[in-house]
């Protein structure tokens, strides 16, 4: 048995932790993954954020709340990706302050403050080790770290700063000192923040960014369609705009709006700009989660047979992810056969047999917080029918067309347009639509999004830039009842790959998962370790 780490020994000693099963735990750091993001990475990200922030500002980032799964059992905790990105901290009940400027403090100074979850031996016996103040200092490299309980009397006046914060988390229940709810309410009070409505913010932001005196009538119409929202009704500037929709009121609105919601808008602009361009450390982790996912897709193809259930295929994917150390899934796995494959975000995965149908599997692992997003579609019986193959080939060709434009400088809009053209031409050729405009009937989603700590990651959608990581995911879905020959019904095909954008081209990160229909058929024909699984029938 290995010795426990020094930090843990100190903690155990300080806490008087006597239960031997814990004191002698074998979780020494050399039995844990060693390719975590480093404190230096997170510190550099905070420094890069400071470079974007306006003078006299502070960025405030709260942890995500814990969510109840079943009475006193919570969902597996998922850290706020922004908090993780800027700190490496993965626990709830915390708030991080990142100041633009160095703040003098007597003989000393600081430019960040971190209030974290306190140590609690009895809670830790149930839910695991907490870093606590000393652990955050030692392992994440912060200097000014406090227990959440200390925020209340901390000598700071946030009203002196431009406070840049995300939409405030919904916090149920616990107002005890140090809880997320109490941290949020203290910051709201101290900084004089207004807890605003998310939809309101998003819409106001669109108006703020895009409205001008020529297109204002269009925005006024949009605002009017949202007037049942209490937040809208009460908003002074919306009232003023509706009462007097002219360019003077608009200019006034813009001037004042930037003050009202500077928090979330500014926060998401800065963090989006940063997180949309991946650093080498992040690319390393994304490559790993995509590689794991590609192996899992390949293994699922080898294992599939028409008698399998959707859940069984999902289970094979999850087994492979865990085997390679993925801590979680990037999103709820989508495993849909036939009609289920035509439901874009199908998550039931409940069909007992996939039969002789196409199976669409949109499943991606998460490794150290970074998500893959890979979809493969394949025939459960190992052979594409003529109709399945025809649809599959159109989607494949659309992807190939998209790849040609995956390089710095190309606009996201043109990438989408090029792909859509190929899908439309294919559907026209097969007589499934008569007008290219109808392509959206069978291709109702977008072709790409950023990928990273969030599966739909933050990032700008203007032009592709070097070191963006995006998905390329065209699809065609023909649900039963569509106005085409029945032979096309219940064919749903999406092919989704993860792409690293370069200056002059791209790297296909998910190339290991078979993509050509010929390679897929060959892979399905291969033996699988799961062929030999001789599990007993349930009684
Ligand atoms: N897996 C979700 C998506 O493809 O966007
Ligand atoms: Mn996707
Ligand atoms: Mn996907």
């Amino acid at each position: 048995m290995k010795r426990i780490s020094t930090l843990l020994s100190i903690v155990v000693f300080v806490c008087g932790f006597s239960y031997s099963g814990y004191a002698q735990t074998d979780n020494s750091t050399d039995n844990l993954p060693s390719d975590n993001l480093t404190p230096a990475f997170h510190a550099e990200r905070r420094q890069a954020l400071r470079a974007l922030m306006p003078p006299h500002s502070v960025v405030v980032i709260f942890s995500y709340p814990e969510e109840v799964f079943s009475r006193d059992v919570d969902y597996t905790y998922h850290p706020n990706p922004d908090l993780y990105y800027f700190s490496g901290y993965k626990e709830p009940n915390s708030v991080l302050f990142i100041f633009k400027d160095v703040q003098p403090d007597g003989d000393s100074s600081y430019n960040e403050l971190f209030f974290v979850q306190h140590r609690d031996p009895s809670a830790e016996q149930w839910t695991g080790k907490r870093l606590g103040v000393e652990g955050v200092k030692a392992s994440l490299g912060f200097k000014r770290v406090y227990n959440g309980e200390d925020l209340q009397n901390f000598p700071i006046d946030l009203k002196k700063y431009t406070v840049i914060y995300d939409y405030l988390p919904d916090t149920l229940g616990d107002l005890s000192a140090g809880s997320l709810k109490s941290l949020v309410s203290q910051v709201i009070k101290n900084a004089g923040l207004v807890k605003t409505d998310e939809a309101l913010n998003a819409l106001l932001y669109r108006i703020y960014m895009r409205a001008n005196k020529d297109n204002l009538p269009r925005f006024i119409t949009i605002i009017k369609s949202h007037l049942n929202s209490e937040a809208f009704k009460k908003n002074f500037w919306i009232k003023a705009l509706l009462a007097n929709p002219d360019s003077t009121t608009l200019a006034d609105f813009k001037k004042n709006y930037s003050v009202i919601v500077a928090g979330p808008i500014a926060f998401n602009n800065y963090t989006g700009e940063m997180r949309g361009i991946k650093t080498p450390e992040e690319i390393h982790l994304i490559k790993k989660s995509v590689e794991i996912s590609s192996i899992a897709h390949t293994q699922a193809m080898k294992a599939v047979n028409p008698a399998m259930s959707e859940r069984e295929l999902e289970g094979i994917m999850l087994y492979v992810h865990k085997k390679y150390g993925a801590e979680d899934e990037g999103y709820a796995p989508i495993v849909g056969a036939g009609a289920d494959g035509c439901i874009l975000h199908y998550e039931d995965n409940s069909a007992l047999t996939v039969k002789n149908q196409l199976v669409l599997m949109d499943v991606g692992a998460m490794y150290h917080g970074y998500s893959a997003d890979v979809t493969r579609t394949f025939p459960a019986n190992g052979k594409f029918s003529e109709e399945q193959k025809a649809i599959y080939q159109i989607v494949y060709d659309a992807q190939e067309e998209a790849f040609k434009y995956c390089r710095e400088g190309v606009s996201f809009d043109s990438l989408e347009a090029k792909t859509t053209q190929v899908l439309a031409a294919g559907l026209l050729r097969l007589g499934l639509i008569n007008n290219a405009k109808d392509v959206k009937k069978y291709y109702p989603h977008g072709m790409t999004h950023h990928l990273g700590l969030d599966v739909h990651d933050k990032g700008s959608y203007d032009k592709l830039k070097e070191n963006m990581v995006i998905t390329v995911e065209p699809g065609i879905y023909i649900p039963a009842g569509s106005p085409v020959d029945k032979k096309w019904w219940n064919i749903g095909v999406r092919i989704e790959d993860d792409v690293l954008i370069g200056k002059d081209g791209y790297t296909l990160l998910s190339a290991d998962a078979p993509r050509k229909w010929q390679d897929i058929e060959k892979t399905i024909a291969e033996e699988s370790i799961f062929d030999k699984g001789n599990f007993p029938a349930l009684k």
Side-chain angles (χ1 to χ4, degrees), residues 331 345 362 372-375 445-451 455-456 470-473 494 496-498:
Y331 49 94
H345 278 181
D362 182 345
D373 190 5
V374 179
T375 307
H445 58 77
M447 206 285 292
T448 181
H449 55 81
H450 290 272
L451 180 67
V455 59
H456 294 174
I470 61 165
T471 63
V472 172
E473 51 173 310
R494 175 159 69 252
E496 177 170 25
D497 282 85
D498 302 337

Side-chain angles (χ1 to χ4, degrees), residues 63-69 71-80 90-94 117 123 127 130 169-174 176 178-181:
S63 57
Y64 272 179
E66 295 164 289
E67 300 285 351
V68 175
F69 173 75
R71 270 171 57 85
D72 54 357
V73 176
D74 285 345
Y75 279 98
T76 303
Y77 185 68
H78 184 60
N80 174 355
K90 295 189 277 189
E91 296 179 29
N93 300 312
S94 48
Q117 188 169 235
T127 51
R130 298 177 177 188
D170 285 329
T171 45
L172 293 170
D174 184 11
S176 62
S179 70
L180 179 61
K181 185 168 178 165

Side-chain angles (χ1 to χ4, degrees), residues 71 82 96 106 112 177 207 214 241 320 360 363 377 380 394 490:
R71 270 171 57 85
D82 283 313
L96 173 63
E112 47 204 27
I207 298 168
D214 300 324
L241 256 189
V320 178
L360 184 156
V363 189
T377 308
I394 296 171
N490 294 329

